[in-house]
Amino acid sequence: MTPKTIQLFNNEYYVIYQHGNLTTIWELQAHLSIADSATYNQLKHDIKQNGVHNPILYYTLGDGIKLVLDGHSRLKACIELKISNFPTKEIKEDFETLSDIQFWMVKNQCQRRNLTPVEKLKFACLHEETIVKKAKENLSKAGRGDNVKDKIDTILEISKLAGIGRTTTARYRSVINSGFYGIIRQMMNGNLSITTAYNQVQEKLKVGVNEINIISEIYDMLECESKQKHTDKFKTQEPKYVNDIHNGLHLLRDDEVEYFIMTKDKNKLSQKLNGKYAVFIMEQ
């Protein structure tokens, strides 16, 4: 009977599949996502016709359980096809944490020669969070005055893991982070190389910057016009003197002046007012 959980590094993990002593757990199977249904069905058909070519890799736990590190899809197909005779290979490493195993899995995938640069970087970026975490820990140590010998360059570490140049790695991450999902999808599907996808993203970004600059220029121009109108509106001007009240009201109705002042003493207008206005001096 398949156990519901296994003990690994003092933690319990749920078992997904078990075939003999070969056991899978979700944390490892999901780390390198299982093939899509079409690819899996093709793999299953090939195994049915020709058997398993590549051995399933496992790590032996203290209680003898063989924890699968590579070959989750192949094992699933063998279980469904009721195949019990297939090649396996033990991996002897000094793993101390689940993260160590996951890192090894990513590195093992990236070393496969039949993977494209995009596929290798996709796997390598799965370990980016661990790399970033280590980089932050180093910065924290440096901030406390500790001597940190190895400064971590996240992009460089990803490129080393994938076996891909740093420039190509940086371009891949730039495309992934761009938000241009059409370009990202074409790159991931192999229809665009990393460099071509990167160049297309840069062109789109240039267009975006130009549009922003044009909008900014239009905004500045409109703002200047608005400020000028505001200045002209409130600029100090000489008043228009009218001979009677009706003339002043006429100017006010026709928007030729902004306000109409009636006074008995011209000298009482101690200072000039802002904007356009008319004045009627009433006879005493």
Side-chain angles (χ1 to χ4, degrees), residues 19-36:
H19 198 40
N21 280 340
L22 288 173
T23 302
T24 68
I25 61 173
W26 176 254
E27 287 75 10
L28 298 186
Q29 179 173 302
H31 191 59
L32 301 181
S33 56
I34 204 162
D36 59 73

Side-chain angles (χ1 to χ4, degrees), residues 208-226:
V209 169
N210 289 336
E211 289 177 348
I212 291 172
N213 287 338
I214 291 172
I215 291 172
S216 179
E217 289 175 4
I218 293 173
Y219 177 81
D220 289 343
M221 181 180 67
L222 293 174
E223 188 177 27
C224 286
E225 289 180 356
S226 176

